[in-house]
Amino acid sequence: MWSLTPAETEALLLSLKVACWSVAASLPVAVALAWLLSRLQFPGKSLLDALVHLPLVLPPVVVGYALLVLFGRRGLLGAFLEEAFGIVLAFRWTGAALACAVMGLPLLVRAVRQSLDAVDRGLESAAATLGAPPAWVFASVTLPLILPGVVTGMLLSFARSLGEFGATITFVSNIPGETQTLPLALYSFTQVPGGDAQALRLCVISVLLSFGALLASEFLLRRANVRAAGRDA
């Protein structure tokens, strides 16, 4: 009953692949956005903050349709990417990774920003007074201090990517072996007679993977809080 079929294994591996690439692609963007929102004051900051967190409140189908309009083969950016670089995102696993990255970005930005807000700015100032350039201050002082928050955000974004359905199916459809991730495969099995056992297996796997990621993020967050309390003491 619990042995996976080739189709289920393929969906599982594709989900892990898409989730890993979505986190890797969104991490630099998330760190940059978090730093902007945490450290700088500029016109339109509230608007940028709202745009970053918009995927949290929008229906995922709306996000998927927006990605299709922008990155489809005839989209504003999709046509340019295909003509200039031969990159096609719509109806490809790379498009699924993009959809997951967009949906998970707010969680990643939020976790990193909270860590940046908690950093003792005096440590950064001390490093700067010793002649360290801003990039080196960030790499040697700020980044180690916010690392637990970064990892926590990555795990939350990873878990969100594993469960992404609406934006993915709207942007890249449900193509077995190409874009059919765990949620899409589970949906497909619920639509066919005799697919209950397969759907149950994928449901259990999805719950275990997401639960494990959430537990790991909570552990890292508590560990970071204990370290911060120790430094304050």
Side-chain angles (χ1 to χ4, degrees):
M1 161 129 183
W2 295 106
S3 59
L4 298 180
T5 66
E8 294 167 349
T9 302
E10 189 174 48
L12 172 60
L13 294 177
L14 181 60
S15 287
L16 294 174
K17 177 182 178 181
V18 166
C20 288
W21 275 103
S22 69
V23 173
S26 60
L27 180 59
V29 178
V31 172
L33 287 172
W35 188 85
L36 285 174
L37 294 172
S38 175
R39 297 301 171 82
L40 298 182
Q41 296 294 330
F42 54 89
K45 179 178 177 179
S46 298
L47 178 60
L48 177 61
D49 193 15
L51 288 175
V52 168
H53 292 88
L54 194 58
L56 287 179
V57 295
L58 277 178
V61 174
V62 174
V63 177
Y65 181 74
L67 290 174
L68 188 61
V69 171
L70 289 173
F71 293 99
R73 288 200 162 186
R74 297 183 180 179
L76 299 175
L77 298 176
F80 169 75
L81 290 175
E82 183 175 8
E83 293 177 4
F85 306 104
I87 298 176
V88 178
L89 296 173
F91 309 110
R92 303 285 177 86
W93 75 266
T94 49
L98 175 61
C100 291
V102 171
M103 296 301 298
L105 182 66
L107 298 174
L108 187 49
V109 171
R110 192 174 187 84
V112 177
R113 183 181 179 182
Q114 289 177 345
S115 295
L116 282 168
D117 290 341
V119 169
D120 184 358
R121 302 290 295 272
L123 298 175
E124 297 174 325
S125 300
T129 57
L130 294 174
W136 180 251
V137 171
F138 180 82
S140 62
V141 178
T142 309
L143 187 58
L145 293 175
I146 68 171
L147 190 58
V150 173
V151 177
T152 298
M154 291 173 63
L155 289 171
L156 291 175
S157 180
F158 179 82
R160 179 66 182 85
S161 298
L162 288 176
E164 168 50 38
F165 177 83
T168 303
I169 198 171
T170 305
F171 182 38
V172 296
S173 189
N174 185 6
I175 306 173
E178 181 65 35
T179 65
Q180 190 177 76
T181 56
L182 275 177
L184 273 62
L186 195 157
Y187 172 77
S188 297
F189 288 136
T190 62
Q191 303 302 306
V192 298
D196 292 342
Q198 293 172 304
L200 178 60
R201 282 195 293 267
L202 293 185
C203 182
V204 171
I205 291 172
S206 298
V207 170
L208 291 176
L209 287 173
S210 300
F211 191 64
L214 291 174
L215 282 180
S217 66
E218 182 65 20
F219 169 77
L220 289 171
L221 184 59
R222 290 185 179 183
R223 188 174 180 182
N225 290 335
V226 169
R227 286 184 176 181
R231 287 196 301 268
D232 294 339

